[in-house]
Amino acid sequence: MPLDFSETPASPPADRTEVVRRRLAAQRVREARDRLTSTTGTRPAFDTELLRQFAQNRLSGSLVILMLIVSIGFLAGVWGDPLAAGAWTAAMLVIHLVIVLKCRRFLAESGNAVNGRAWRLRFIVLDLFFGLAWMFQLTHPVGPHESAATFNLFVMLLVVAIASMLASSLPVAVLAATTPVTVAVALNFVLAGTVQGWILAAMAVTAQIYFVLLSFRIYSSNLATLEARAEKDALIAELEQAKAKSDEARRRAEGANIAKSRFLAQMSHELRTPLNAILGFSEVMKNEIFGPHTVAVYKDYSNDIHNSGVHLLGLINEILDLSRIEAGRYELNEELVGLVQTVEECHHLLKMRAKTRGIAIHECFEPDMPKLWADERAVRQVCLNLLSNAIKFTPQGGEVWLKVGWTHAGGQYLSVRDNGSGISEEEIPIVLDSFGQGSNAIKSAEQGAGLGLPIVKSIIDLHGGTFTLRSKLREGTEVVVTFPPERVMTALEPIPEQGPVVPSDTPPPMPSGRDGPVSLRQRLRMFKLEN
């Protein structure tokens, strides 16, 4: 009966709560240390980066400020005193030039040699002089024109807007550059003593508050961007460190794997040579080839020695097989293999062991199963390991079921099920690991090395199949291995025999109808009907 098996669920990921807690604690300590050593409550690196943004913004807007100074100076000279307007324009140009030079000098310095507190104070003082110069101009109306108040308000809004945008990385500089201008314009409007003056003064103060809040909003956005970038850089650095550590661990693991392979190759030779002698001589003594023992118990001792040697030889072979599989050196010697015949042979080999324990083995095989393209020795090892495990962990008087059949995908499966003690769900990943044993295996008197199921799973993976283990405590265990449809050798149709080949120089015979030879037109009509 066809079956459909899904893959076993992967083991849950390791808990990283402790790692995350340590990382957050280190981050909090670093942030607290940076706040204590900073002048603005942020990290020192952020202070320097904000100052660099301030300098870059002032340099990028230097041409706009230059055009604004020249335009206001020209209008002031046209509408008012040309000499005062010229002096004011020259003073503003000098202040603007000093700011530009200081910004260029700051950007030219290296990041480690920058004195953030000193440069911060210089920029605030320069912006203060910049705002006082604008205040001096706006406190003198540009002539007796009736729209002088509106002109002053327009200039004030323009100066406040430009300063708020360019100096948003340094909020104190924004206040230093805009507050004198706003105060001067608002006082002029209030001193006029008119309702319009009071309204314009309120508008000036409201505009100042709005632009200051906007600059602080931009400052917060810039600070959040810097923090996000710093977190990203920290994560990248942490990933690079983790990658370096993983590469080093991988190199060490590869070196240890090579050393393990060399050790196993050497020890297998060193162990097998005396082990063959032990097996040979113990078998000679057990069979009493050179005569009976004078003491009967010596025969039992020889039998125990031989059985122990066989067990040790099987253990060595399992370790070597697993090491070759892990090293990728396990090569499949593929040939036609009958899965049903192989399972029957393994059943016959282990029938005596099951009979001595009072275990009944039931077979349920699909008829007319085609052969597989697989490694016969590996398939036999899979059957022997699964059946021996089922016999080992099934109590006396228990039952074992062997099933071979078709999967829904067209492959073949082997199922070995017993009604033994079973395995708990949390122990399934342990028994599938190399040298892993469940609690029942540890308590059992017939312990193994814990390599049977890992070898079976690895062999099935090499064949492109699937391995499924289902078990419940006090109910039993079922192991199902499947072989993909690509390895099923279905029967092919026989190749039909061909008649004698007509030589190329001999023309084919002309087809003839019932009334004689067929004409060319009739042959074309017959060809169209056939197609």
Side-chain angles (χ1 to χ4, degrees):
M1 182 177 181
L3 297 178
D4 188 14
F5 301 101
S6 60
E7 297 183 357
T8 55
S11 58
D15 188 13
R16 295 188 175 182
T17 306
E18 186 65 21
V19 177
V20 174
R21 188 183 62 81
R22 289 199 300 267
R23 182 187 302 169
L24 294 177
Q27 181 180 357
R28 288 194 294 269
V29 171
R30 185 172 59 252
E31 291 177 353
R33 183 179 64 250
D34 292 336
R35 284 193 295 269
L36 291 175
T37 57
S38 174
T39 57
T40 60
T42 60
R43 300 183 186 178
F46 292 174
D47 293 341
T48 305
E49 186 64 26
L50 291 172
L51 290 177
R52 288 188 177 278
Q53 289 184 5
F54 172 83
Q56 292 172 355
N57 292 338
R58 294 306 295 261
L59 289 178
S60 63
S62 59
L63 182 61
V64 177
I65 295 177
L66 179 63
M67 294 174 60
L68 180 63
I69 292 173
V70 173
S71 300
I72 299 301
F74 175 75
L75 293 176
V78 172
W79 291 344
D81 186 3
L83 183 61
W88 176 85
T89 303
M92 285 296 298
L93 291 177
V94 170
I95 296 174
H96 181 61
L97 179 62
V98 172
I99 292 176
V100 171
L101 293 178
K102 291 297 182 180
C103 290
R104 290 183 181 276
R105 181 181 174 184
F106 173 77
L107 293 176
E109 292 185 2
S110 60
N112 296 329
V114 171
N115 187 355
R117 182 173 299 179
W119 279 107
R120 180 183 176 86
L121 182 60
R122 292 172 190 170
F123 288 146
I124 293 174
V125 172
L126 289 174
D127 272 19
L128 179 61
F129 281 114
F130 185 77
L132 292 175
W134 279 106
M135 181 189 70
F136 178 79
Q137 172 62 32
L138 295 179
T139 53
H140 297 78
V142 287
H145 198 273
E146 59 183 7
S147 61
T150 306
F151 177 77
N152 287 344
L153 180 61
F154 172 76
V155 172
M156 187 273 296
L157 293 177
L158 194 60
V159 171
V160 171
I162 294 176
S164 299
M165 296 299 104
L166 297 182
S168 58
S169 300
L170 196 59
V172 180
V174 174
L175 294 175
T178 60
T179 302
V181 179
T182 303
V183 170
V185 173
L187 286 177
N188 281 336
F189 291 148
V190 170
L191 294 176
T194 61
V195 177
Q196 182 182 3
W198 282 96
I199 295 175
L200 292 177
M203 291 177 60
V205 174
T206 304
Q208 168 71 13
I209 296 174
Y210 169 76
F211 282 109
V212 169
L213 293 178
L214 181 61
S215 65
F216 272 94
R217 181 68 176 177
I218 297 175
Y219 170 78
S220 301
S221 300
N222 293 336
L223 188 60
T225 302
L226 292 177
E227 291 178 352
R229 188 172 65 183
E231 291 294 335
K232 181 195 70 175
D233 295 340
L235 288 176
I236 292 175
E238 186 175 354
L239 288 176
E240 290 179 352
Q241 293 178 359
K243 184 178 181 301
K245 292 180 180 179
S246 64
D247 292 340
E248 181 65 22
R250 179 177 55 82
R251 286 192 292 268
R252 292 180 180 178
E254 290 177 353
N257 191 22
I258 294 174
K260 181 193 71 173
S261 300
R262 291 176 180 175
F263 170 78
L264 291 176
Q266 183 177 0
M267 291 305 296
S268 64
H269 174 72
E270 298 295 333
L271 290 174
R272 284 181 176 181
T273 301
L275 190 58
N276 289 329
I278 293 173
L279 290 175
F281 291 139
S282 61
E283 187 173 2
V284 169
M285 297 169 63
K286 180 183 67 172
N287 296 328
E288 299 178 342
I289 295 177
F290 297 108
H293 295 288
T294 57
V295 180
V297 74
Y298 286 167
K299 184 176 181 179
D300 297 333
Y301 290 165
S302 302
N303 190 19
D304 294 339
I305 294 172
H306 186 269
N307 293 336
S308 300
V310 171
H311 176 73
L312 182 58
L313 180 61
L315 180 60
I316 293 174
N317 291 331
E318 287 182 349
I319 294 175
L320 291 178
D321 288 340
L322 185 62
S323 64
R324 283 196 296 267
I325 291 173
E326 291 178 350
R329 299 177 181 176
Y330 191 94
E331 297 180 358
L332 297 178
N333 186 16
E334 298 175 329
E335 56 183 335
L336 292 178
V337 180
L339 184 58
V340 174
Q341 291 80 5
T342 304
V343 174
E344 287 179 346
E345 293 175 1
C346 295
H347 179 198
H348 181 72
L349 290 175
L350 298 177
K351 184 184 296 183
M352 186 59 64
R353 184 189 302 180
K355 187 176 181 180
T356 55
R357 296 174 60 92
I359 298 174
I361 300 179
H362 307 283
E363 294 181 349
C364 182
F365 302 150
E366 290 282 347
D368 301 329
M369 296 285 291
K371 293 186 177 181
L372 297 172
W373 185 251
D375 189 338
E376 183 178 3
R377 188 184 69 87
V379 175
R380 189 182 303 273
Q381 186 175 5
V382 168
C383 298
L384 289 175
N385 286 357
L386 295 181
L387 188 54
S388 62
N389 276 351
I391 295 173
K392 183 190 302 182
F393 297 107
T394 300
Q396 293 186 359
E399 294 179 321
V400 176
W401 289 267
L402 292 176
K403 294 182 182 180
V404 176
W406 293 96
T407 63
H408 282 290
Q412 296 183 8
Y413 76 91
L414 166 64
S415 172
V416 180
R417 182 167 61 90
D418 61 74
N419 58 354
S421 57
I423 307 170
S424 60
E425 293 183 359
E426 57 271 11
E427 289 184 351
I428 290 180
I430 298 175
V431 299
L432 293 180
D433 197 6
S434 300
F435 300 99
Q437 294 181 348
S439 57
N440 293 329
I442 296 174
K443 297 176 183 178
S444 176
E446 193 176 356
Q447 297 183 14
L451 297 177
L453 292 180
I455 291 177
V456 170
K457 187 176 184 302
S458 301
I459 291 176
I460 296 300
D461 290 340
L462 290 176
H463 283 83
T466 60
F467 175 92
T468 306
L469 173 63
R470 300 190 183 95
S471 183
K472 289 185 178 180
L473 286 175
R474 294 179 295 276
E475 292 186 9
T477 303
E478 181 181 11
V479 179
V480 182
V481 294
T482 64
F483 294 89
E486 295 81 10
R487 292 192 172 272
V488 179
M489 305 300 294
T490 57
L492 301 177
E493 297 181 357
I495 300 176
E497 297 183 359
Q498 297 181 355
V501 180
V502 180
S504 59
D505 54 352
T506 303
M510 295 290 292
S512 59
R514 181 179 302 175
D515 299 332
V518 182
S519 64
L520 178 60
R521 182 176 299 175
Q522 291 176 345
R523 282 161 44 189
L524 290 175
R525 186 181 296 113
M526 292 170 59
F527 178 78
K528 290 180 179 179
L529 290 175
E530 290 176 357
N531 294 335

